[in-house]
Amino acid sequence: MYRFALKVYGCQMNVYDGDKMKTALVSRGWSEVPEEEADVVILNGCSIRDKAEQKVWSDLGRYAPRWGRERKPFVAVTGCIAQNVGRKMASRFPWVRFVSGPRHIGAVPDGLERLMSSSGETFFFLDDDPKAFLDLKIAPMERLNKWKAFVTIAHGCDNFCSYCIVPYVRGRFVSRPPMEILEEMKKLAEEGVMEITLLGQNVDSYGTDFPDGYSFSDLLRDAARETGVRLIRFVTSHPKDFTPDVVETMAAYPDVICPSINLPIQSGSDRMLALMNRKYTLGQYRSIVRGIRERLPGVGLTSDLIVGHPRETPEDFQCSLSALEEFRFDLVHTAAYSPREGTAAAAWEEQVPREIKMARLNEVNRLQSKIALEINSGLVGRTCPVLLDDFAPRGEGLLQGRTPSDKVVLVEAGEEMLGRMVSVLITGAENWCLSGRILGTAE
Ligand code: SAH
Ligand code: SF4
Ligand code: F3S
């Protein structure tokens, strides 16, 4: 049968889609092999910033020598990047013979089989209708990580933040039916998955397209009660749609629904928030955070922040620094603004020069590292349950997991401890992770 390799770039949604494509191909008898032996290499790519796209462009170039010798491998470009620049990629590189956007994931397995028996055609699964969606109905059984899985609960996004490509590449917002999600979670739990992260660009708008009022907090409750999944996490929350019932449900199932929330702020300036089309003010953001911290003491609160968005003045930027000081997030995904063709802000004349963007990025990162180190140092001496789910990226004999509040913890443990819930005493802290010692099991 055919041999494939899969490379995934970008966010957890792309990981989930990649896992599903892999599962579908393996179930049809395809085998996953190292890239050098593959008939088809699938690049499931991201378009969120220029840097993300450049990674795929530069990887594409590397197939030239083997293509010259063997006319292999065929390269399939999928994911958000395919919808954005897949046609360009196919016209630049003859080995790109398959392009399928994220709204056509259901076309991938058959499409790749047609590609293998074709004679020289290039296959395009793209269309200009942002409502079109062809799902791949299969649970992600073949994953990189045995213990953890992602499950997308809603596709697309209708928010059109000024800087963001996602609504253009992933199309209109559609919630998946609750039964479908809960069944998928059950199936994964039966196969030994211990932790599931529910994914949506804006989980709080889950269900707003249903007629019966079933909401994200209903889904969280049913997932905690009915699926047998040991730990449930979710991303991303949107301040404009966040509702207190989500926090109530988290508080009602504290051992299953992890007390961790990613609530992107994007800017600390009301002027910028309006320009970004975020539809909340700093004051509204502040009252949400207050509500969360009151109801869930010990919650992990993370955020996303963009610096150097067009029209961001030094005063606006100062507001973002003050917001970091005020909210003291556990972690912030910071990024310098990257213009995305076709989005609103990319067309504005008042772009911030690159050097200023980089200087602002350094400054927020420096401040946030200091805050994170202070917060993490305060956790030394505490004990918490941790699912050991992977090898540490560096360091022999170390495994890693996450605290309920979503902080990475490294512990000394052998491979046989993978997949175990243990009780960990936190013994050390850095700005990006904790280290700890296993006290016993916590199953
Ligand atoms: N739906 C989520 C975020 C999805 S994109 C939300 O509403 O927050 C993930 C992050 O990438 C965003 O939070 C934003 O901080 C960043 N991002 C998106 N577009 C960007 C751009 N053009 N330049 C820089 N960062 C960007
Ligand atoms: Fe992008 Fe905004 Fe949608 Fe998030 S909510 S995916 S930032 S458009
Ligand atoms: Fe990238 Fe698409 Fe995710 S653009 S960040 S892979 S939704």
Side-chain angles (χ1 to χ4, degrees):
M1 254 321 234
Y2 306 124
R3 294 163 301 179
F4 75 100
L6 170 70
K7 290 180 78 173
V8 179
Y9 313 73
C11 72
Q12 293 139 323
M13 247 174 210
N14 262 13
V15 175
Y16 174 70
D17 289 348
D19 290 343
K20 291 210 300 182
M21 290 193 269
K22 192 194 296 198
T23 308
L25 291 174
V26 168
S27 75
R28 288 170 179 233
W30 287 55
S31 50
E32 192 181 14
V33 295
E35 219 185 335
E36 312 72 58
E37 298 162 25
D39 302 312
V40 182
V41 178
I42 306 166
L43 304 183
N44 194 34
C46 169
S47 267
I48 200 77
R49 286 179 282 274
D50 186 51
K51 220 175 175 178
E53 278 190 2
Q54 289 311 325
K55 265 189 216 158
V56 179
W57 279 110
S58 75
D59 279 358
L60 275 174
R62 294 191 299 104
Y63 301 103
R66 187 171 161 215
W67 180 262
R69 286 192 310 271
E70 307 172 38
R71 286 288 177 268
K72 265 188 186 173
F74 291 152
V75 174
V77 180
T78 60
C80 300
I81 202 170
Q83 185 67 37
N84 201 29
V85 289
R87 282 189 193 281
K88 264 193 217 164
M89 288 175 157
S91 59
R92 174 96 68 90
F93 297 108
W95 42 93
V96 174
R97 294 276 300 279
F98 186 97
V99 176
S100 166
R103 293 183 283 105
H104 290 79
I105 183 170
V108 170
D110 278 345
L112 287 180
E113 282 178 0
R114 277 169 57 203
L115 168 69
M116 293 314 297
S117 53
S118 78
S119 50
E121 292 162 74
T122 302
F123 292 79
F124 292 97
F125 296 95
L126 298 168
D127 70 45
D128 298 328
D129 175 7
K131 290 204 179 97
F133 187 71
L134 182 56
D135 203 359
L136 179 58
K137 301 226 172 193
I138 195 162
M141 306 310 262
E142 301 284 334
R143 295 176 311 278
L144 268 182
N145 192 295
K146 197 168 165 193
W147 322 106
K148 291 192 293 188
F150 299 114
V151 171
T152 291
I153 63 168
H155 305 288
C157 180
D158 289 353
N159 292 326
F160 292 94
C161 300
S162 57
Y163 48 83
C164 184
I165 190 90
V166 172
Y168 301 89
V169 289
R170 291 229 167 223
R172 295 294 58 77
F173 176 81
V174 187
S175 302
R176 288 180 68 197
M179 282 314 290
E180 205 177 290
I181 298 168
L182 296 169
E183 286 304 318
E184 190 167 320
M185 293 178 79
K186 268 183 217 162
K187 194 164 171 194
L188 289 165
E190 280 159 16
E191 293 292 320
V193 169
M194 311 250 313
E195 178 186 302
I196 290 182
T197 304
L198 302 176
L199 303 178
Q201 293 303 340
N202 174 353
V203 291
D204 302 296
S205 55
Y206 177 80
T208 51
D209 49 344
F210 294 152
D212 62 359
Y214 189 89
S215 68
F216 179 55
S217 63
D218 293 326
L219 180 70
L220 269 184
R221 180 203 56 222
D222 291 345
R225 273 195 199 155
E226 297 171 15
T227 60
V229 175
R230 180 67 189 78
L231 297 172
I232 297 172
R233 300 181 188 272
F234 58 88
V235 279
T236 303
S237 303
H238 196 306
K240 91 178 162 66
D241 295 318
F242 193 87
T243 48
D245 54 320
V246 171
V247 182
E248 288 309 317
T249 308
M250 294 172 79
Y253 300 93
D255 298 330
V256 183
I257 307 174
C258 295
S260 131
I261 297 179
N262 176 231
L263 191 69
I265 187 169
Q266 308 299 4
S267 168
S269 146
D270 278 341
R271 200 184 75 88
M272 287 313 300
L273 289 173
L275 285 169
M276 287 173 161
N277 195 29
R278 290 291 288 179
K279 300 197 168 73
Y280 53 85
T281 61
L282 191 67
Q284 287 164 331
Y285 189 90
R286 182 177 292 128
S287 66
I288 296 171
V289 169
R290 197 177 297 135
I292 293 172
R293 291 208 193 273
E294 266 168 27
R295 195 69 182 89
L296 296 172
V299 69
L301 190 64
T302 61
S303 199
D304 298 14
L305 180 80
I306 298 178
V307 299
H309 188 280
R311 301 184 188 162
E312 185 185 71
T313 63
E315 294 73 34
D316 294 319
F317 175 64
Q318 283 306 319
C319 295
S320 291
L321 290 172
S322 312
L324 295 186
E325 301 262 20
E326 174 181 352
F327 297 115
R328 297 184 63 80
F329 299 112
D330 290 277
L331 179 143
V332 181
H333 308 107
T334 55
Y337 170 77
S338 168
R340 310 281 65 215
E341 206 182 314
T343 61
W348 299 352
E349 274 176 23
E350 307 90 331
Q351 299 288 320
V352 175
R354 201 189 111 80
E355 311 75 64
I356 296 185
K357 288 197 273 197
M358 290 307 144
R360 289 182 186 170
L361 186 61
N362 283 335
E363 205 172 335
V364 288
N365 286 344
R366 213 168 32 238
L367 172 60
Q368 181 54 35
S369 299
K370 178 176 96 56
I371 294 170
L373 181 60
E374 286 165 8
I375 297 175
N376 291 350
S377 304
L379 298 175
V380 173
R382 303 249 183 118
T383 303
C384 53
V386 174
L387 167 66
L388 299 176
D389 59 30
D390 215 339
F391 295 101
R394 308 184 286 266
E396 286 288 300
L398 289 181
L399 296 184
Q400 70 174 25
R402 281 171 187 268
T403 62
S405 64
D406 207 26
K407 289 180 185 289
V408 175
V409 192
L410 308 180
V411 296
E412 257 175 54
E415 193 174 347
E416 72 287 353
M417 293 301 283
L418 277 174
R420 304 283 297 276
M421 285 278 288
V422 291
S423 173
V424 172
L425 172 70
I426 305 302
T427 54
E430 292 182 46
N431 61 32
W432 67 277
C433 78
L434 303 168
S435 45
R437 183 154 48 81
I438 298 177
L439 297 179
T441 58
E443 262 108 355

Coordinates of all heavy atoms in Angstrom, one line a residue, residues 311-356:
R311 N -1.4 51.5 13.8 CA -1.9 52.6 14.6 C -1.6 52.4 16.1 O -2.2 53.2 16.9 CB -3.4 52.8 14.4 CG -3.8 53.0 12.9 CD -5.3 53.3 12.7 NE -5.5 53.3 11.3 CZ -6.7 53.2 10.7 NH1 -7.8 53.1 11.4 NH2 -6.8 53.3 9.4
E312 N -0.9 51.5 16.5 CA -0.5 51.4 18.0 C 0.5 52.5 18.3 O 1.6 52.5 17.7 CB 0.0 50.0 18.3 CG 0.3 49.8 19.8 CD 1.0 48.5 20.2 OE1 2.2 48.3 19.9 OE2 0.3 47.6 20.8
T313 N 0.2 53.4 19.2 CA 1.1 54.5 19.6 C 1.9 54.0 20.8 O 1.6 53.0 21.4 CB 0.3 55.7 20.0 OG1 -0.5 55.3 21.1 CG2 -0.7 56.2 18.9
P314 N 2.9 54.8 21.1 CA 3.7 54.4 22.3 C 2.8 54.4 23.6 O 3.0 53.6 24.5 CB 4.7 55.6 22.4 CG 4.9 56.0 21.0 CD 3.6 55.9 20.4
E315 N 1.8 55.3 23.6 CA 0.8 55.3 24.7 C 0.0 54.0 24.8 O -0.2 53.5 25.8 CB -0.1 56.5 24.7 CG 0.6 57.9 24.8 CD 1.4 58.3 23.6 OE1 1.0 58.0 22.5 OE2 2.5 58.9 23.8
D316 N -0.5 53.6 23.6 CA -1.3 52.3 23.6 C -0.4 51.2 24.1 O -0.8 50.3 24.9 CB -1.7 52.0 22.1 CG -2.7 53.0 21.6 OD1 -3.6 53.4 22.3 OD2 -2.5 53.3 20.4
F317 N 0.9 51.2 23.6 CA 1.8 50.1 24.0 C 2.0 50.1 25.6 O 2.0 49.1 26.2 CB 3.1 50.2 23.3 CG 4.1 49.2 23.8 CD1 3.9 47.9 23.6 CD2 5.3 49.6 24.4 CE1 4.8 46.9 24.1 CE2 6.2 48.7 24.9 CZ 5.9 47.3 24.7
Q318 N 2.1 51.3 26.1 CA 2.3 51.4 27.6 C 1.0 50.8 28.3 O 1.2 50.2 29.3 CB 2.4 52.9 28.0 CG 3.8 53.5 27.8 CD 4.9 52.7 28.4 OE1 4.8 52.2 29.5 NE2 6.0 52.5 27.7
C319 N -0.1 51.0 27.7 CA -1.4 50.4 28.3 C -1.2 48.9 28.3 O -1.7 48.2 29.2 CB -2.6 50.8 27.5 SG -3.0 52.6 27.6
S320 N -0.6 48.3 27.3 CA -0.5 46.8 27.3 C 0.5 46.4 28.4 O 0.3 45.4 29.0 CB 0.0 46.4 25.9 OG -1.0 46.5 24.9
L321 N 1.6 47.2 28.5 CA 2.5 46.8 29.6 C 1.8 46.9 31.0 O 1.9 46.0 31.8 CB 3.7 47.8 29.6 CG 4.7 47.7 28.5 CD1 5.7 48.8 28.5 CD2 5.4 46.3 28.5
S322 N 1.0 48.0 31.2 CA 0.3 48.1 32.4 C -0.7 47.0 32.6 O -0.9 46.5 33.8 CB -0.5 49.4 32.5 OG 0.2 50.5 32.1
A323 N -1.3 46.5 31.6 CA -2.3 45.4 31.7 C -1.5 44.2 32.2 O -2.1 43.4 33.0 CB -3.0 45.2 30.4
L324 N -0.3 43.9 31.6 CA 0.4 42.7 32.1 C 0.7 42.8 33.6 O 0.6 41.9 34.3 CB 1.7 42.6 31.3 CG 1.6 42.3 29.8 CD1 3.0 42.0 29.2 CD2 0.7 41.1 29.5
E325 N 1.1 44.1 34.0 CA 1.4 44.3 35.4 C 0.1 44.0 36.3 O 0.1 43.5 37.3 CB 1.8 45.7 35.7 CG 3.0 46.2 35.0 CD 4.3 46.1 35.8 OE1 4.3 45.3 36.8 OE2 5.3 46.7 35.5
E326 N -1.0 44.5 35.7 CA -2.3 44.5 36.5 C -2.8 43.0 36.6 O -3.1 42.5 37.7 CB -3.3 45.3 35.9 CG -4.7 45.2 36.5 CD -5.8 46.0 35.9 OE1 -5.6 46.8 35.0 OE2 -7.0 45.8 36.3
F327 N -2.8 42.3 35.5 CA -3.5 41.0 35.5 C -2.6 39.9 35.9 O -3.0 38.8 36.3 CB -4.2 40.7 34.1 CG -5.2 41.7 33.8 CD1 -5.1 42.6 32.7 CD2 -6.4 41.8 34.6 CE1 -6.1 43.5 32.5 CE2 -7.4 42.7 34.3 CZ -7.2 43.6 33.3
R328 N -1.3 40.1 35.8 CA -0.3 39.1 36.2 C -0.7 37.7 35.7 O -1.0 36.7 36.5 CB -0.1 39.1 37.7 CG 0.5 40.4 38.3 CD 0.7 40.4 39.7 NE 1.7 39.4 40.2 CZ 3.1 39.6 40.1 NH1 3.6 40.7 39.5 NH2 3.9 38.7 40.5
F329 N -0.7 37.5 34.4 CA -1.0 36.3 33.8 C 0.1 35.2 34.0 O 1.2 35.6 34.2 CB -1.1 36.4 32.2 CG -2.2 37.4 31.8 CD1 -1.9 38.6 31.2 CD2 -3.5 37.1 32.0 CE1 -2.9 39.5 30.8 CE2 -4.5 38.0 31.6 CZ -4.2 39.2 31.0
D330 N -0.3 34.0 34.0 CA 0.7 32.9 34.2 C 1.6 32.8 33.0 O 2.7 32.4 33.1 CB -0.1 31.6 34.5 CG -0.7 31.6 35.8 OD1 0.0 31.3 36.8 OD2 -1.9 32.0 35.9
L331 N 1.0 33.0 31.8 CA 1.7 32.9 30.6 C 1.0 33.8 29.6 O -0.2 33.9 29.6 CB 1.7 31.5 30.2 CG 2.4 31.1 28.9 CD1 3.1 29.7 29.1 CD2 1.5 30.9 27.7
V332 N 1.8 34.4 28.7 CA 1.2 35.2 27.6 C 1.9 34.8 26.3 O 3.1 34.8 26.2 CB 1.4 36.7 27.9 CG1 0.8 37.6 26.8 CG2 0.9 37.2 29.2
H333 N 1.0 34.5 25.3 CA 1.6 34.2 24.0 C 1.7 35.6 23.3 O 0.7 36.2 23.0 CB 0.6 33.4 23.2 CG 0.2 32.1 23.9 ND1 -1.0 31.9 24.4 CD2 1.0 31.0 24.1 CE1 -1.0 30.7 25.0 NE2 0.2 30.1 24.8
T334 N 2.9 36.1 23.2 CA 3.1 37.4 22.6 C 3.5 37.3 21.2 O 4.1 36.3 20.8 CB 4.2 38.2 23.4 OG1 5.4 37.4 23.3 CG2 3.8 38.4 24.8
A335 N 3.1 38.3 20.4 CA 3.5 38.2 19.0 C 3.6 39.6 18.4 O 2.8 40.5 18.8 CB 2.5 37.4 18.1
A336 N 4.6 39.8 17.5 CA 4.6 41.1 16.8 C 3.6 41.0 15.7 O 3.5 39.9 15.0 CB 6.0 41.3 16.3
Y337 N 2.9 42.1 15.5 CA 1.9 42.1 14.4 C 2.5 41.7 13.0 O 3.6 42.2 12.7 CB 1.2 43.4 14.3 CG 0.4 43.6 13.1 CD1 -0.9 43.0 13.1 CD2 0.8 44.3 12.0 CE1 -1.7 43.1 11.9 CE2 0.0 44.4 10.8 CZ -1.2 43.8 10.8 OH -2.0 43.9 9.7
S338 N 1.8 40.8 12.4 CA 2.3 40.4 11.0 C 1.1 40.6 10.0 O 0.0 40.1 10.2 CB 2.7 38.9 11.1 OG 2.8 38.4 9.8
P339 N 1.3 41.5 9.0 CA 0.2 41.8 8.1 C -0.2 40.6 7.3 O 0.6 39.9 6.8 CB 0.8 42.9 7.2 CG 2.2 43.2 7.7 CD 2.6 42.2 8.7
R340 N -1.5 40.3 7.3 CA -2.0 39.2 6.5 C -2.9 39.8 5.4 O -3.9 40.4 5.7 CB -2.9 38.3 7.4 CG -2.3 37.9 8.7 CD -1.3 36.7 8.6 NE -0.1 37.1 7.8 CZ 0.5 36.2 7.0 NH1 0.1 35.0 6.8 NH2 1.6 36.6 6.4
E341 N -2.5 39.5 4.2 CA -3.2 40.1 3.1 C -4.7 39.7 3.1 O -5.0 38.6 3.4 CB -2.6 39.6 1.8 CG -2.7 40.5 0.6 CD -2.1 39.9 -0.7 OE1 -1.0 39.3 -0.6 OE2 -2.8 39.9 -1.7
G342 N -5.5 40.7 2.9 CA -7.0 40.5 2.8 C -7.7 40.8 4.1 O -8.9 41.0 4.2
T343 N -6.9 41.0 5.2 CA -7.5 41.3 6.5 C -7.6 42.9 6.6 O -6.8 43.6 5.9 CB -6.7 40.8 7.7 OG1 -5.4 41.4 7.7 CG2 -6.6 39.3 7.7
A344 N -8.4 43.4 7.5 CA -8.6 44.8 7.5 C -7.3 45.6 7.8 O -7.0 46.5 7.0 CB -9.7 45.2 8.6
A345 N -6.6 45.3 8.9 CA -5.5 46.1 9.3 C -4.3 46.1 8.3 O -3.5 47.0 8.3 CB -5.1 45.7 10.7
A346 N -4.2 45.1 7.5 CA -3.1 45.0 6.6 C -3.2 46.1 5.6 O -2.1 46.5 5.0 CB -3.1 43.6 5.9
A347 N -4.4 46.6 5.3 CA -4.5 47.7 4.3 C -4.3 49.1 4.9 O -4.3 50.1 4.2 CB -5.9 47.6 3.7
W348 N -4.2 49.2 6.2 CA -4.1 50.5 6.8 C -2.7 51.1 6.5 O -1.7 50.4 6.5 CB -4.2 50.5 8.4 CG -5.6 50.0 8.8 CD1 -6.7 49.8 8.0 CD2 -6.0 49.7 10.1 NE1 -7.7 49.3 8.7 CE2 -7.4 49.3 10.0 CE3 -5.4 49.7 11.4 CZ2 -8.1 48.9 11.2 CZ3 -6.1 49.3 12.5 CH2 -7.4 48.9 12.4
E349 N -2.7 52.4 6.4 CA -1.4 53.0 6.0 C -0.4 53.1 7.2 O 0.8 53.0 7.0 CB -1.6 54.5 5.5 CG -2.0 54.5 4.0 CD -2.3 55.8 3.5 OE1 -1.9 56.8 4.2 OE2 -3.0 55.9 2.5
E350 N -1.0 53.2 8.4 CA -0.1 53.5 9.6 C 0.4 52.2 10.1 O 0.1 51.8 11.2 CB -0.9 54.2 10.7 CG -1.6 55.5 10.2 CD -3.1 55.2 9.7 OE1 -3.3 54.1 9.2 OE2 -3.9 56.1 9.9
Q351 N 1.3 51.5 9.4 CA 2.0 50.3 9.9 C 3.1 50.7 10.8 O 3.7 51.8 10.6 CB 2.5 49.5 8.7 CG 1.5 49.0 7.7 CD 0.6 47.9 8.2 OE1 1.0 47.0 8.9 NE2 -0.7 48.0 7.9
V352 N 3.3 49.9 11.8 CA 4.4 50.2 12.8 C 5.7 49.6 12.2 O 5.7 48.5 11.8 CB 4.1 49.6 14.1 CG1 5.2 49.8 15.1 CG2 2.8 50.2 14.7
P353 N 6.8 50.4 12.2 CA 8.0 49.9 11.6 C 8.5 48.6 12.4 O 8.3 48.5 13.6 CB 9.0 51.0 11.8 CG 8.2 52.2 12.0 CD 6.9 51.8 12.6
R354 N 9.2 47.8 11.6 CA 9.7 46.5 12.2 C 10.5 46.6 13.4 O 10.3 45.9 14.4 CB 10.5 45.8 11.1 CG 10.6 44.3 11.3 CD 11.7 43.7 10.3 NE 12.8 43.3 11.1 CZ 12.9 42.1 11.7 NH1 11.9 41.3 11.7 NH2 14.0 41.8 12.4
E355 N 11.4 47.6 13.4 CA 12.3 47.8 14.6 C 11.5 48.1 15.8 O 11.8 47.6 16.9 CB 13.4 48.9 14.4 CG 14.2 48.9 13.1 CD 13.3 49.3 12.0 OE1 12.9 50.5 11.9 OE2 13.1 48.5 11.0
I356 N 10.5 48.9 15.7 CA 9.7 49.3 16.8 C 8.9 48.1 17.3 O 8.8 47.8 18.5 CB 8.7 50.5 16.5 CG1 9.6 51.7 16.2 CG2 7.8 50.8 17.6 CD1 8.9 53.0 15.9

